[in-house]
Amino acid sequence: MSRFLPDNRTGIPDTLSKYMFFFRLLSYLPLPVLYLFSDLLYLVARYGVGYRKKVIDDNLRFAFPEKTADERKKIRNAFYRNFTDSFAETIKCLTISESEFRRRFQVINQNGLDAPVKNGKSALMMAGHIFNWEMGVIGTNLHSEVPVETVYLKVNNPFFNELMKKIRTRFGGYVTEKNEFKRRMLTLGRDPRIVLLGSDQRPPRSENRYQRQFLNRPAVFFEGAEFLSKKMDLPVLYGKMLKVKRGYYRYEFIPLAQPPYDGQAAHSVTDRFCEMLESNIREQPDLYLWSHKRWKI
């Protein structure tokens, strides 16, 4: 077990604990019942408010110029379904049993991610915002035989920040806020572990950013994995998410980059991640988070 295990005890004030109790009660409902709530949200998002419809349509138009307007509309409507279902699935994960989770979420090649850590070297896993990525975090923790650290961006609402920490660590692992991880990342050599990185978020202007084409438009990327892998000679894997059917997923860890990195081009790790993410998106395009203003420079 790693010596580097931050304290994940809740920091929720007592006044907010009643909300946690409510979500826990909600989570005990069977997933088919929770899907009834997501069905209602789907109708509101699609037919009522038209949630971020212009953003979604613009993103799809640039990403898939070869598709017809009707084809892109089908992707948008299926996205709304996956988007609202993700709320039901993520809430369920607060109390889901291990046996039910294993039945719904299949992990392929966990040993490929664990092996470097068992041999004394940390490993990086890069993933994108493909539904249901929260189950991807939980599934990695459940199946891994080594310490798993998930790096996250803190949300402004303290309750939902703590709620997501509880869900993500449902079956082990621990979470570290991005700025805290920056201060401790050199412990990767001393305390080998898997580090999960959501690598397709849009960095703020204050960060070092790498700009490249992504789905036919310029986009900017964090390069934390690029820096760490080459600085510390760490292997990198990609987490490929596919949806089998409603509530059932397949998550596969695929080698992305391996040391030694001497002589490799600048940005090679980030470029390879973008290529693999694009391929994953094109395989099931309705699973990607199209409502995000990802391409804002």
Side-chain angles (χ1 to χ4, degrees):
M1 179 64 66
S2 171
R3 290 171 290 148
F4 179 66
L5 292 174
D7 186 357
N8 278 335
R9 289 176 296 182
T10 180
I12 303 176
D14 291 340
T15 54
L16 296 181
S17 61
K18 60 183 179 181
Y19 297 116
M20 185 65 74
F21 178 70
F22 167 76
F23 276 98
R24 187 171 290 276
L25 282 180
L26 189 64
S27 179
Y28 280 118
L29 293 173
L31 191 53
V33 175
L34 290 173
Y35 277 143
L36 296 177
F37 292 102
S38 72
D39 288 342
L40 178 60
L41 287 175
Y42 165 74
L43 294 174
V44 172
R46 177 179 173 182
Y47 297 107
V49 299
Y51 176 72
R52 291 197 173 183
K53 180 176 179 295
K54 186 178 186 308
V55 173
I56 297 167
D57 285 345
D58 285 347
N59 287 342
L60 290 173
R61 180 167 51 84
F62 278 100
F64 304 108
E66 75 283 1
K67 294 185 182 296
T68 66
D70 283 345
E71 288 173 329
R72 291 194 293 268
K73 182 179 178 181
K74 288 180 181 178
I75 295 173
R76 183 190 72 214
N77 293 339
F79 159 78
Y80 280 137
R81 169 67 69 190
N82 292 316
F83 180 66
T84 55
D85 276 1
S86 72
F87 294 125
E89 293 163 356
T90 302
I91 290 300
K92 182 61 186 176
C93 285
L94 185 61
T95 60
I96 194 170
S97 69
E98 179 177 330
S99 60
E100 182 177 0
F101 190 92
R102 287 184 182 275
R103 181 169 58 85
R104 292 181 174 277
F105 198 87
Q106 180 186 17
V107 172
I108 307 297
N109 193 31
Q110 181 72 53
N111 184 62
L113 190 58
D114 287 358
V117 182
K118 291 179 178 179
N119 291 326
K121 182 178 285 288
S122 291
L124 307 180
M125 199 282 285
M126 303 176 73
H129 282 79
I130 296 180
F131 296 117
N132 187 327
W133 65 84
E134 295 294 354
M135 294 179 75
V137 173
I138 299 165
T140 306
N141 288 333
L142 175 60
H143 287 82
S144 179
E145 297 177 355
V146 300
V148 180
E149 177 179 19
T150 300
V151 181
Y152 75 100
L153 293 176
K154 190 174 183 179
V155 299
N156 292 329
N157 185 296
F159 169 73
F160 282 106
N161 195 66
E162 292 297 329
L163 177 65
M164 293 312 301
K165 285 166 66 175
K166 280 186 172 291
I167 290 172
R168 289 166 180 166
T169 57
R170 174 73 177 86
F171 295 118
Y174 56 97
V175 295
T176 306
E177 197 275 327
K178 182 173 72 71
N179 290 328
E180 182 65 19
F181 176 73
K182 284 182 177 180
R183 292 190 286 269
R184 295 177 174 176
M185 61 186 181
L186 292 181
T187 63
L188 287 169
R190 185 178 73 238
D191 297 298
R193 56 197 186 268
I194 295 168
V195 177
L196 306 187
L197 299 168
S199 302
D200 63 335
Q201 293 168 314
R202 177 169 56 86
R205 293 182 183 275
S206 59
E207 296 273 352
N208 291 325
R209 312 192 304 174
Y210 169 49
Q211 181 174 318
R212 58 155 282 151
Q213 290 290 110
F214 178 62
L215 291 170
N216 304 316
R217 270 198 290 178
V220 289
F221 291 87
F222 285 109
E223 284 212 287
E226 181 84 25
F227 171 79
L228 286 172
S229 60
K230 293 181 176 178
K231 180 73 173 179
M232 306 183 72
D233 277 337
L234 304 181
V236 186
L237 290 92
Y238 174 76
K240 179 181 179 181
M241 184 77 74
L242 292 175
K243 185 174 183 177
V244 179
K245 60 181 180 179
R246 196 180 197 185
Y248 291 81
Y249 297 87
R250 183 178 186 271
Y251 203 36
E252 181 177 4
F253 300 119
I254 304 172
L256 186 153
Q258 292 281 345
Y261 294 101
D262 294 343
Q264 287 201 18
H267 315 296
S268 60
V269 173
T270 308
D271 284 339
R272 182 58 182 148
F273 164 73
C274 291
E275 292 167 1
M276 297 180 79
L277 178 59
E278 277 205 29
S279 177
N280 196 167
I281 292 169
R282 293 184 185 282
E283 194 164 345
Q284 286 186 302
D286 52 286
L287 295 183
Y288 194 58
L289 187 61
W290 296 108
S291 58
H292 181 42
K293 296 180 180 180
R294 180 63 189 84
W295 286 268
K296 184 177 179 181
I297 302 299

